[in-house]
Amino acid sequence: MEMVSEWFRELYETTGINLTIVYDAYDRQRFLSGLGMTVYLSVVCIFISLVIGAVGAWAQGSPLRIVRALVNGFVIIFRNTPPLVQIFFFYFGLGQILPRIEGADGMRVPLLSNVQWAIVSLSLFAGAFNVEIFRSGLEAVPRTTTEAAEALGYTRLGVYRHVLLPLALRICLPALNNNLVNLLKTTTLAYAIAVPETLYVSKQIWTDSQNVPVMMIVLLIVYTALVGMLVFIMHRWEKMLAIPGFGQAGAK
Amino acid sequence: MSKSSLSAPLVVAPPAATAAGPDSVLPVLLPYRLRPTAPLRWPRLGLISWVGIAGLALFIGGVAHAQSGADRLSAIAVIWKWSPLLLSGFAFNILISVLSMSLGTVAGLALGLAQLGENALLRKAAWGATQFFRNAPWLVLLFFAMFMIPFQFRIFGTTIPFPDWVKAVIGFALPVMANVSEIVRGAVASLPSGQWEAAESLAFSRRQTMWRIILPQCIKRMLPPWMNLYSLVTMATVQASIVGVTEMLTLTAQVHAAEGGRPDLLAPLYGFAMLCFFLYCYPIERFTLYLERRFQLHQ
């Protein structure tokens, strides 16, 4: 470890490539925590947005007009407004209005922290897209499948949970893949409300060490790697779920 | 655009092969028919969706109103008072989006054609660049442009200034370029290979095939995703406020400060910004959906 640090220190002295995140313990710790925050945000938001998508797509088929109207309104609004404005709206707008609660040390703190607001708004943003994606998947499942399940005595929820959703998921995985990659990239917007994710800590590091170009390259590589990992996991999942003769993945 | 005007040249029976003049239609196009679609009803937002939108707006407005005192300006009055300034900021957002979209489209077209080219090295390089810029977050690319491009260039003694907003335009053009490149590649790949073979049999050179046969057919396939991308760029322009460009979101924060920083004003002010973008982007989305259905082909 010491040798690696020495080598990078020497690299800086000889070439001017200043990778403080490798040889400086403090910067390294900062950068890793930022990376951890990005991964944490992505994983939590992916999970919540998938739940929103599945529940929303189910609600879109509800017999109640008002439920359908609310879901449609939600999807239309969140798809057609900038995610950054959504984050500001939630964090500054609603965050200020909500009541404050007493924190652990007796101070009055906001009900939700900036990280929690970031999770809420990013999940809602990605969830709105997921609703549409799941709906397109549900539409692609043959109507006869539903009828067969109904004939077997499944309830409406039962048909959805045990028959429709598993099949729809397999159909819409490629589109879902795109949206989740987009969500991972959108987590950088949490920078604007001071969530210490990768971009935020990188900015701190390059302000301290004046190594903007190097950190820029590091950032781009880090995000490319993160996206690559997500795509890899999604492809594995796609293969795992594949049913021979059904959906795009089944053909392989 | 009526249905017949677009589909007519595709379904007209070709003249005899010997009489094929410059205006005749290639027979290979015949199996493709445009699916008849309902005329564009605009805006196709049913009553039921308006109930949802109005419900959300009322909820937000109600929460905001409950907090404001009686002696101060109401949220609506504040927005009305400052709307000329805020809307000029919004116009600037539109300007940035149009400029970066134009720049990105031209660059993306070149990159996409390089991806389809015959030179293996160039093809690989273009593919790499496309993947790299497509997978990087927009905000990171914006920072990239902001910090890596100098604020002025000196060419032959004349100084060309590069203000922040021009750098932002370049920053947004980078991901646009990569996405347009993929759109071009995808559209060309979606054409049946018979088109290439037929062109070859008619002794078209590769360049002629590309420009006169392949690309003209691709335009209608590229249009819907391209418009989708434009809508995304428009929504991304607010990110310029993070790197210090004065646009609508910056002005919104300034207006809030000018009104004494009342916390109850924040939700309506940001809600107004959302409304502006919604009114601009929603028709684009509807029209994109319409075009997608319009250009759907069935074999």
PDB file of all heavy atoms in Angstrom, chain B residues 26-52:
ATOM      1  N   LEU B  26     -38.853   2.628 -56.107  1.00  0.00           N
ATOM      2  CA  LEU B  26     -38.222   1.315 -56.086  1.00  0.00           C
ATOM      3  C   LEU B  26     -39.234   0.274 -55.623  1.00  0.00           C
ATOM      4  O   LEU B  26     -39.900   0.464 -54.609  1.00  0.00           O
ATOM      5  CB  LEU B  26     -37.038   1.331 -55.127  1.00  0.00           C
ATOM      6  CG  LEU B  26     -35.816   2.102 -55.619  1.00  0.00           C
ATOM      7  CD1 LEU B  26     -34.779   2.153 -54.518  1.00  0.00           C
ATOM      8  CD2 LEU B  26     -35.249   1.441 -56.853  1.00  0.00           C
ATOM      9  N   PRO B  27     -39.350  -0.831 -56.344  1.00  0.00           N
ATOM     10  CA  PRO B  27     -40.346  -1.841 -55.956  1.00  0.00           C
ATOM     11  C   PRO B  27     -40.070  -2.442 -54.576  1.00  0.00           C
ATOM     12  O   PRO B  27     -40.987  -2.919 -53.933  1.00  0.00           O
ATOM     13  CB  PRO B  27     -40.240  -2.895 -57.054  1.00  0.00           C
ATOM     14  CG  PRO B  27     -39.141  -2.499 -57.938  1.00  0.00           C
ATOM     15  CD  PRO B  27     -38.655  -1.169 -57.576  1.00  0.00           C
ATOM     16  N   VAL B  28     -38.819  -2.409 -54.109  1.00  0.00           N
ATOM     17  CA  VAL B  28     -38.524  -3.030 -52.820  1.00  0.00           C
ATOM     18  C   VAL B  28     -39.262  -2.344 -51.686  1.00  0.00           C
ATOM     19  O   VAL B  28     -39.399  -2.882 -50.603  1.00  0.00           O
ATOM     20  CB  VAL B  28     -37.016  -2.996 -52.507  1.00  0.00           C
ATOM     21  CG1 VAL B  28     -36.317  -4.101 -53.234  1.00  0.00           C
ATOM     22  CG2 VAL B  28     -36.432  -1.649 -52.801  1.00  0.00           C
ATOM     23  N   LEU B  29     -39.742  -1.126 -51.930  1.00  0.00           N
ATOM     24  CA  LEU B  29     -40.428  -0.415 -50.863  1.00  0.00           C
ATOM     25  C   LEU B  29     -41.861  -0.885 -50.681  1.00  0.00           C
ATOM     26  O   LEU B  29     -42.508  -0.557 -49.714  1.00  0.00           O
ATOM     27  CB  LEU B  29     -40.449   1.080 -51.165  1.00  0.00           C
ATOM     28  CG  LEU B  29     -39.166   1.828 -50.848  1.00  0.00           C
ATOM     29  CD1 LEU B  29     -39.278   3.245 -51.312  1.00  0.00           C
ATOM     30  CD2 LEU B  29     -38.900   1.772 -49.368  1.00  0.00           C
ATOM     31  N   LEU B  30     -42.336  -1.678 -51.650  1.00  0.00           N
ATOM     32  CA  LEU B  30     -43.765  -1.949 -51.668  1.00  0.00           C
ATOM     33  C   LEU B  30     -44.344  -2.654 -50.442  1.00  0.00           C
ATOM     34  O   LEU B  30     -45.417  -2.298 -50.001  1.00  0.00           O
ATOM     35  CB  LEU B  30     -44.117  -2.743 -52.928  1.00  0.00           C
ATOM     36  CG  LEU B  30     -44.229  -1.855 -54.155  1.00  0.00           C
ATOM     37  CD1 LEU B  30     -44.605  -2.673 -55.361  1.00  0.00           C
ATOM     38  CD2 LEU B  30     -45.272  -0.764 -53.911  1.00  0.00           C
ATOM     39  N   PRO B  31     -43.657  -3.657 -49.871  1.00  0.00           N
ATOM     40  CA  PRO B  31     -44.311  -4.368 -48.777  1.00  0.00           C
ATOM     41  C   PRO B  31     -44.603  -3.473 -47.577  1.00  0.00           C
ATOM     42  O   PRO B  31     -45.389  -3.844 -46.726  1.00  0.00           O
ATOM     43  CB  PRO B  31     -43.302  -5.448 -48.393  1.00  0.00           C
ATOM     44  CG  PRO B  31     -42.429  -5.589 -49.570  1.00  0.00           C
ATOM     45  CD  PRO B  31     -42.400  -4.253 -50.219  1.00  0.00           C
ATOM     46  N   TYR B  32     -43.988  -2.313 -47.487  1.00  0.00           N
ATOM     47  CA  TYR B  32     -44.187  -1.487 -46.317  1.00  0.00           C
ATOM     48  C   TYR B  32     -45.352  -0.540 -46.518  1.00  0.00           C
ATOM     49  O   TYR B  32     -45.368   0.245 -47.454  1.00  0.00           O
ATOM     50  CB  TYR B  32     -42.912  -0.709 -46.006  1.00  0.00           C
ATOM     51  CG  TYR B  32     -41.828  -1.633 -45.580  1.00  0.00           C
ATOM     52  CD1 TYR B  32     -40.962  -2.193 -46.513  1.00  0.00           C
ATOM     53  CD2 TYR B  32     -41.710  -1.998 -44.250  1.00  0.00           C
ATOM     54  CE1 TYR B  32     -39.990  -3.081 -46.116  1.00  0.00           C
ATOM     55  CE2 TYR B  32     -40.746  -2.887 -43.859  1.00  0.00           C
ATOM     56  CZ  TYR B  32     -39.890  -3.429 -44.791  1.00  0.00           C
ATOM     57  OH  TYR B  32     -38.955  -4.308 -44.386  1.00  0.00           O
ATOM     58  N   ARG B  33     -46.311  -0.619 -45.648  1.00  0.00           N
ATOM     59  CA  ARG B  33     -47.435   0.306 -45.697  1.00  0.00           C
ATOM     60  C   ARG B  33     -47.470   1.070 -44.398  1.00  0.00           C
ATOM     61  O   ARG B  33     -47.137   0.552 -43.337  1.00  0.00           O
ATOM     62  CB  ARG B  33     -48.747  -0.475 -45.828  1.00  0.00           C
ATOM     63  CG  ARG B  33     -49.038  -0.952 -47.218  1.00  0.00           C
ATOM     64  CD  ARG B  33     -50.505  -1.305 -47.342  1.00  0.00           C
ATOM     65  NE  ARG B  33     -51.011  -2.053 -46.194  1.00  0.00           N
ATOM     66  CZ  ARG B  33     -50.863  -3.357 -46.043  1.00  0.00           C
ATOM     67  NH1 ARG B  33     -50.170  -4.054 -46.934  1.00  0.00           N
ATOM     68  NH2 ARG B  33     -51.380  -3.961 -44.988  1.00  0.00           N
ATOM     69  N   LEU B  34     -47.864   2.304 -44.483  1.00  0.00           N
ATOM     70  CA  LEU B  34     -48.031   3.066 -43.251  1.00  0.00           C
ATOM     71  C   LEU B  34     -49.348   2.658 -42.616  1.00  0.00           C
ATOM     72  O   LEU B  34     -50.362   2.546 -43.291  1.00  0.00           O
ATOM     73  CB  LEU B  34     -48.045   4.563 -43.547  1.00  0.00           C
ATOM     74  CG  LEU B  34     -46.692   5.138 -43.917  1.00  0.00           C
ATOM     75  CD1 LEU B  34     -46.848   6.527 -44.448  1.00  0.00           C
ATOM     76  CD2 LEU B  34     -45.789   5.137 -42.716  1.00  0.00           C
ATOM     77  N   ARG B  35     -49.287   2.437 -41.321  1.00  0.00           N
ATOM     78  CA  ARG B  35     -50.518   2.067 -40.631  1.00  0.00           C
ATOM     79  C   ARG B  35     -51.414   3.287 -40.540  1.00  0.00           C
ATOM     80  O   ARG B  35     -50.959   4.375 -40.177  1.00  0.00           O
ATOM     81  CB  ARG B  35     -50.160   1.573 -39.232  1.00  0.00           C
ATOM     82  CG  ARG B  35     -51.356   1.282 -38.371  1.00  0.00           C
ATOM     83  CD  ARG B  35     -50.909   0.761 -37.041  1.00  0.00           C
ATOM     84  NE  ARG B  35     -50.282  -0.554 -37.178  1.00  0.00           N
ATOM     85  CZ  ARG B  35     -49.761  -1.203 -36.156  1.00  0.00           C
ATOM     86  NH1 ARG B  35     -49.767  -0.662 -34.968  1.00  0.00           N
ATOM     87  NH2 ARG B  35     -49.221  -2.383 -36.333  1.00  0.00           N
ATOM     88  N   PRO B  36     -52.679   3.148 -40.910  1.00  0.00           N
ATOM     89  CA  PRO B  36     -53.569   4.319 -40.798  1.00  0.00           C
ATOM     90  C   PRO B  36     -53.750   4.685 -39.329  1.00  0.00           C
ATOM     91  O   PRO B  36     -53.977   3.825 -38.478  1.00  0.00           O
ATOM     92  CB  PRO B  36     -54.876   3.831 -41.421  1.00  0.00           C
ATOM     93  CG  PRO B  36     -54.804   2.349 -41.361  1.00  0.00           C
ATOM     94  CD  PRO B  36     -53.369   1.964 -41.424  1.00  0.00           C
ATOM     95  N   THR B  37     -53.620   5.949 -39.033  1.00  0.00           N
ATOM     96  CA  THR B  37     -53.782   6.389 -37.644  1.00  0.00           C
ATOM     97  C   THR B  37     -54.860   7.463 -37.584  1.00  0.00           C
ATOM     98  O   THR B  37     -55.148   8.133 -38.561  1.00  0.00           O
ATOM     99  CB  THR B  37     -52.489   6.984 -37.086  1.00  0.00           C
ATOM    100  OG1 THR B  37     -51.923   7.821 -38.086  1.00  0.00           O
ATOM    101  CG2 THR B  37     -51.507   5.919 -36.696  1.00  0.00           C
ATOM    102  N   ALA B  38     -55.387   7.604 -36.408  1.00  0.00           N
ATOM    103  CA  ALA B  38     -56.373   8.658 -36.194  1.00  0.00           C
ATOM    104  C   ALA B  38     -55.674  10.004 -36.335  1.00  0.00           C
ATOM    105  O   ALA B  38     -54.494  10.123 -36.026  1.00  0.00           O
ATOM    106  CB  ALA B  38     -56.974   8.519 -34.812  1.00  0.00           C
ATOM    107  N   PRO B  39     -56.377  11.027 -36.827  1.00  0.00           N
ATOM    108  CA  PRO B  39     -55.747  12.350 -36.912  1.00  0.00           C
ATOM    109  C   PRO B  39     -55.369  12.851 -35.530  1.00  0.00           C
ATOM    110  O   PRO B  39     -55.963  12.446 -34.531  1.00  0.00           O
ATOM    111  CB  PRO B  39     -56.821  13.222 -37.552  1.00  0.00           C
ATOM    112  CG  PRO B  39     -58.099  12.493 -37.342  1.00  0.00           C
ATOM    113  CD  PRO B  39     -57.756  11.041 -37.323  1.00  0.00           C
ATOM    114  N   LEU B  40     -54.358  13.721 -35.500  1.00  0.00           N
ATOM    115  CA  LEU B  40     -53.842  14.219 -34.217  1.00  0.00           C
ATOM    116  C   LEU B  40     -54.911  15.059 -33.526  1.00  0.00           C
ATOM    117  O   LEU B  40     -55.353  16.080 -34.042  1.00  0.00           O
ATOM    118  CB  LEU B  40     -52.609  15.075 -34.475  1.00  0.00           C
ATOM    119  CG  LEU B  40     -51.987  15.735 -33.260  1.00  0.00           C
ATOM    120  CD1 LEU B  40     -51.447  14.689 -32.295  1.00  0.00           C
ATOM    121  CD2 LEU B  40     -50.884  16.678 -33.674  1.00  0.00           C
ATOM    122  N   ARG B  41     -55.314  14.576 -32.370  1.00  0.00           N
ATOM    123  CA  ARG B  41     -56.205  15.397 -31.560  1.00  0.00           C
ATOM    124  C   ARG B  41     -55.339  16.095 -30.540  1.00  0.00           C
ATOM    125  O   ARG B  41     -54.577  15.451 -29.822  1.00  0.00           O
ATOM    126  CB  ARG B  41     -57.260  14.529 -30.867  1.00  0.00           C
ATOM    127  CG  ARG B  41     -58.438  14.255 -31.765  1.00  0.00           C
ATOM    128  CD  ARG B  41     -59.534  13.578 -31.004  1.00  0.00           C
ATOM    129  NE  ARG B  41     -59.202  12.185 -30.739  1.00  0.00           N
ATOM    130  CZ  ARG B  41     -59.561  11.556 -29.620  1.00  0.00           C
ATOM    131  NH1 ARG B  41     -60.235  12.193 -28.708  1.00  0.00           N
ATOM    132  NH2 ARG B  41     -59.234  10.299 -29.431  1.00  0.00           N
ATOM    133  N   TRP B  42     -55.409  17.407 -30.506  1.00  0.00           N
ATOM    134  CA  TRP B  42     -54.440  18.128 -29.671  1.00  0.00           C
ATOM    135  C   TRP B  42     -55.141  19.099 -28.757  1.00  0.00           C
ATOM    136  O   TRP B  42     -55.971  19.833 -29.217  1.00  0.00           O
ATOM    137  CB  TRP B  42     -53.481  18.882 -30.566  1.00  0.00           C
ATOM    138  CG  TRP B  42     -52.339  19.437 -29.819  1.00  0.00           C
ATOM    139  CD1 TRP B  42     -51.150  18.831 -29.566  1.00  0.00           C
ATOM    140  CD2 TRP B  42     -52.278  20.725 -29.228  1.00  0.00           C
ATOM    141  NE1 TRP B  42     -50.357  19.665 -28.839  1.00  0.00           N
ATOM    142  CE2 TRP B  42     -51.016  20.829 -28.617  1.00  0.00           C
ATOM    143  CE3 TRP B  42     -53.163  21.812 -29.114  1.00  0.00           C
ATOM    144  CZ2 TRP B  42     -50.623  21.970 -27.928  1.00  0.00           C
ATOM    145  CZ3 TRP B  42     -52.763  22.926 -28.423  1.00  0.00           C
ATOM    146  CH2 TRP B  42     -51.499  22.993 -27.839  1.00  0.00           C
ATOM    147  N   PRO B  43     -54.842  19.168 -27.498  1.00  0.00           N
ATOM    148  CA  PRO B  43     -54.006  18.229 -26.748  1.00  0.00           C
ATOM    149  C   PRO B  43     -54.825  17.047 -26.298  1.00  0.00           C
ATOM    150  O   PRO B  43     -55.957  17.224 -25.881  1.00  0.00           O
ATOM    151  CB  PRO B  43     -53.562  19.066 -25.550  1.00  0.00           C
ATOM    152  CG  PRO B  43     -54.661  20.062 -25.353  1.00  0.00           C
ATOM    153  CD  PRO B  43     -55.360  20.253 -26.655  1.00  0.00           C
ATOM    154  N   ARG B  44     -54.251  15.855 -26.411  1.00  0.00           N
ATOM    155  CA  ARG B  44     -55.017  14.664 -26.073  1.00  0.00           C
ATOM    156  C   ARG B  44     -54.921  14.347 -24.585  1.00  0.00           C
ATOM    157  O   ARG B  44     -54.484  13.297 -24.185  1.00  0.00           O
ATOM    158  CB  ARG B  44     -54.555  13.493 -26.909  1.00  0.00           C
ATOM    159  CG  ARG B  44     -55.122  13.593 -28.303  1.00  0.00           C
ATOM    160  CD  ARG B  44     -54.739  12.428 -29.136  1.00  0.00           C
ATOM    161  NE  ARG B  44     -55.160  11.165 -28.523  1.00  0.00           N
ATOM    162  CZ  ARG B  44     -55.147  10.025 -29.177  1.00  0.00           C
ATOM    163  NH1 ARG B  44     -54.743  10.002 -30.413  1.00  0.00           N
ATOM    164  NH2 ARG B  44     -55.509   8.919 -28.593  1.00  0.00           N
ATOM    165  N   LEU B  45     -55.291  15.285 -23.777  1.00  0.00           N
ATOM    166  CA  LEU B  45     -55.270  15.084 -22.342  1.00  0.00           C
ATOM    167  C   LEU B  45     -56.727  14.983 -21.930  1.00  0.00           C
ATOM    168  O   LEU B  45     -57.456  15.959 -21.959  1.00  0.00           O
ATOM    169  CB  LEU B  45     -54.588  16.277 -21.688  1.00  0.00           C
ATOM    170  CG  LEU B  45     -54.147  16.130 -20.248  1.00  0.00           C
ATOM    171  CD1 LEU B  45     -53.218  14.948 -20.121  1.00  0.00           C
ATOM    172  CD2 LEU B  45     -53.433  17.380 -19.814  1.00  0.00           C
ATOM    173  N   GLY B  46     -57.152  13.776 -21.612  1.00  0.00           N
ATOM    174  CA  GLY B  46     -58.559  13.573 -21.292  1.00  0.00           C
ATOM    175  C   GLY B  46     -58.949  14.295 -20.024  1.00  0.00           C
ATOM    176  O   GLY B  46     -58.110  14.720 -19.235  1.00  0.00           O
ATOM    177  N   LEU B  47     -60.232  14.428 -19.840  1.00  0.00           N
ATOM    178  CA  LEU B  47     -60.780  15.063 -18.639  1.00  0.00           C
ATOM    179  C   LEU B  47     -60.197  14.413 -17.399  1.00  0.00           C
ATOM    180  O   LEU B  47     -59.837  15.067 -16.418  1.00  0.00           O
ATOM    181  CB  LEU B  47     -62.307  14.900 -18.654  1.00  0.00           C
ATOM    182  CG  LEU B  47     -63.047  15.473 -17.449  1.00  0.00           C
ATOM    183  CD1 LEU B  47     -63.024  16.984 -17.499  1.00  0.00           C
ATOM    184  CD2 LEU B  47     -64.475  14.963 -17.419  1.00  0.00           C
ATOM    185  N   ILE B  48     -60.045  13.085 -17.517  1.00  0.00           N
ATOM    186  CA  ILE B  48     -59.653  12.302 -16.356  1.00  0.00           C
ATOM    187  C   ILE B  48     -58.239  12.673 -15.898  1.00  0.00           C
ATOM    188  O   ILE B  48     -57.946  12.759 -14.710  1.00  0.00           O
ATOM    189  CB  ILE B  48     -59.787  10.817 -16.731  1.00  0.00           C
ATOM    190  CG1 ILE B  48     -60.027   9.998 -15.494  1.00  0.00           C
ATOM    191  CG2 ILE B  48     -58.658  10.317 -17.538  1.00  0.00           C
ATOM    192  CD1 ILE B  48     -60.886   8.816 -15.793  1.00  0.00           C
ATOM    193  N   SER B  49     -57.336  12.974 -16.853  1.00  0.00           N
ATOM    194  CA  SER B  49     -55.984  13.358 -16.474  1.00  0.00           C
ATOM    195  C   SER B  49     -55.966  14.749 -15.878  1.00  0.00           C
ATOM    196  O   SER B  49     -55.205  15.042 -14.956  1.00  0.00           O
ATOM    197  CB  SER B  49     -55.068  13.311 -17.681  1.00  0.00           C
ATOM    198  OG  SER B  49     -55.151  12.061 -18.274  1.00  0.00           O
ATOM    199  N   TRP B  50     -56.818  15.607 -16.428  1.00  0.00           N
ATOM    200  CA  TRP B  50     -56.875  16.959 -15.877  1.00  0.00           C
ATOM    201  C   TRP B  50     -57.310  16.925 -14.411  1.00  0.00           C
ATOM    202  O   TRP B  50     -56.857  17.727 -13.598  1.00  0.00           O
ATOM    203  CB  TRP B  50     -57.834  17.849 -16.674  1.00  0.00           C
ATOM    204  CG  TRP B  50     -57.217  18.349 -17.944  1.00  0.00           C
ATOM    205  CD1 TRP B  50     -57.607  18.051 -19.211  1.00  0.00           C
ATOM    206  CD2 TRP B  50     -56.083  19.205 -18.073  1.00  0.00           C
ATOM    207  NE1 TRP B  50     -56.780  18.657 -20.116  1.00  0.00           N
ATOM    208  CE2 TRP B  50     -55.842  19.377 -19.451  1.00  0.00           C
ATOM    209  CE3 TRP B  50     -55.241  19.838 -17.161  1.00  0.00           C
ATOM    210  CZ2 TRP B  50     -54.804  20.149 -19.931  1.00  0.00           C
ATOM    211  CZ3 TRP B  50     -54.202  20.606 -17.642  1.00  0.00           C
ATOM    212  CH2 TRP B  50     -53.994  20.762 -19.012  1.00  0.00           C
ATOM    213  N   VAL B  51     -58.212  15.975 -14.081  1.00  0.00           N
ATOM    214  CA  VAL B  51     -58.621  15.835 -12.685  1.00  0.00           C
ATOM    215  C   VAL B  51     -57.396  15.541 -11.827  1.00  0.00           C
ATOM    216  O   VAL B  51     -57.198  16.140 -10.769  1.00  0.00           O
ATOM    217  CB  VAL B  51     -59.680  14.720 -12.533  1.00  0.00           C
ATOM    218  CG1 VAL B  51     -59.976  14.452 -11.072  1.00  0.00           C
ATOM    219  CG2 VAL B  51     -60.956  15.099 -13.257  1.00  0.00           C
ATOM    220  N   GLY B  52     -56.542  14.631 -12.313  1.00  0.00           N
ATOM    221  CA  GLY B  52     -55.334  14.285 -11.570  1.00  0.00           C
ATOM    222  C   GLY B  52     -54.411  15.469 -11.412  1.00  0.00           C
ATOM    223  O   GLY B  52     -53.917  15.759 -10.316  1.00  0.00           O
TER     224      GLY B  52
END
